Amino acid sequence: MPTNRTGKAEAPDVGPRTSHIPMQPMKRINSTLVLAFATLAFAASSCVDSTAPSSERSNATASASLGDLSGLGGIPGGGLGDGVGRLVDTTVTVLQRLVPLAGDITVSAVIDSVGGSIEIPEAGFRLDIPKKALDEPTTITVTAVLGSAVAYEFEPQGLAFDKRLIITQDLSLTGAISNLLGTDFTGAYFQSRDEISPLGSATVHELLPTKVDLFLGTVEFPVKHFSGYLVAVD
């Protein structure tokens, strides 16, 4: 090793020093996870619970679009909640049929504690009555009201049930089918068909939460007593 004039050893000249930083590989997006997230978001938005205020329904739809990947706990649409309606005296816009009914369509069935269902295919209507909703055999009558309004009368009037019944409406027979994502639905209770205006509005006294199925093209809502019910839109 060479020495300098002072007699001390000098370090050999190895040229300029450089530092080497290893390149990190670029992270690749897992396409499978992206696809799964997109699918979940669409499914969540396709089945959304609605409530009367349109702003709350919009918020629910927005939340459903985001979803909850850690167990789906935050996604609306899994059910109708407690099915409790909100008592009001207000005017709503009634969902309209694509083809008005030329006359009333009435269907009756005897339902006992086993439960059962009543359908009016021409109106796109179905009523499901669960087990033990009634204590004894009872003749249930449903009338699809003539005209364009998606409205039904139920008898015996004033009859109350131990469990909630579910009304389902086929939306493919209504004007909402072309814009399901842009329409908010509410079940609504009316006392008399006189409260339904031919201009498309109605006076109602209770608003009920709904569940929309975009895949089946249906809306459903719970009821626990009889008189008249219609589907309102916003």
Side-chain angles (χ1 to χ4, degrees):
M1 179 179 293
T3 59
N4 57 20
R5 293 180 179 179
T6 61
K8 295 182 178 179
E10 293 180 339
D13 186 6
V14 294
R17 296 181 179 178
T18 59
S19 60
H20 176 67
I21 301 176
M23 295 292 291
Q24 297 292 327
M26 295 182 64
K27 295 181 178 179
R28 297 181 180 179
I29 298 175
N30 188 320
S31 60
T32 302
L33 289 177
V34 173
L35 178 59
F37 179 83
T39 302
L40 177 60
F42 177 77
S45 62
S46 70
C47 196
V48 179
D49 283 344
S50 299
T51 53
S54 59
S55 60
E56 293 180 9
R57 287 196 293 270
S58 299
N59 292 338
T61 303
S63 299
S65 298
L66 294 175
D68 179 358
L69 295 180
S70 62
L72 310 183
I75 296 178
L80 295 168
D82 56 14
V84 175
R86 184 160 63 90
L87 297 179
V88 296
D89 284 302
T90 189
T91 300
V92 297
T93 299
V94 185
L95 177 64
Q96 301 293 298
R97 301 184 189 279
L98 291 175
V99 179
L101 300 181
D104 289 352
I105 303 176
T106 300
V107 177
S108 297
V110 177
I111 307 295
D112 56 21
S113 61
V114 175
S117 63
I118 297 177
E119 296 186 11
I120 306 178
E122 304 93 323
F125 170 89
R126 178 183 176 94
L127 174 69
D128 287 299
I129 304 169
K131 291 181 178 181
K132 298 182 179 180
L134 291 165
D135 294 329
E136 58 186 20
T138 304
T139 299
I140 303 297
T141 301
V142 183
T143 299
V145 176
L146 66 87
S148 298
V150 178
Y152 303 91
E153 293 177 328
F154 299 82
E155 296 179 285
Q157 284 197 12
L159 179 65
F161 298 88
D162 296 329
K163 293 187 177 181
R164 288 182 175 83
L165 286 55
I166 298 296
I167 293 174
T168 301
Q169 176 65 44
D170 181 355
L171 296 173
S172 68
L173 303 178
T174 74
I177 191 62
S178 61
N179 190 30
L180 289 183
L181 286 174
T183 304
D184 293 318
F185 301 90
T186 305
Y189 160 72
F190 65 94
Q191 295 176 342
S192 166
R193 67 172 67 188
D194 293 336
E195 295 178 313
I196 303 175
S197 167
L199 300 179
S201 64
T203 300
V204 297
H205 311 284
E206 184 179 7
L207 299 177
L208 297 152
T210 63
K211 186 173 77 171
V212 178
D213 191 318
L214 295 182
F215 294 102
L216 296 178
T218 61
V219 60
E220 65 181 55
F221 58 93
V223 301
K224 204 173 181 183
H225 60 86
F226 271 173
S227 188
Y229 290 95
L230 56 80
V231 181
V233 293
D234 186 8

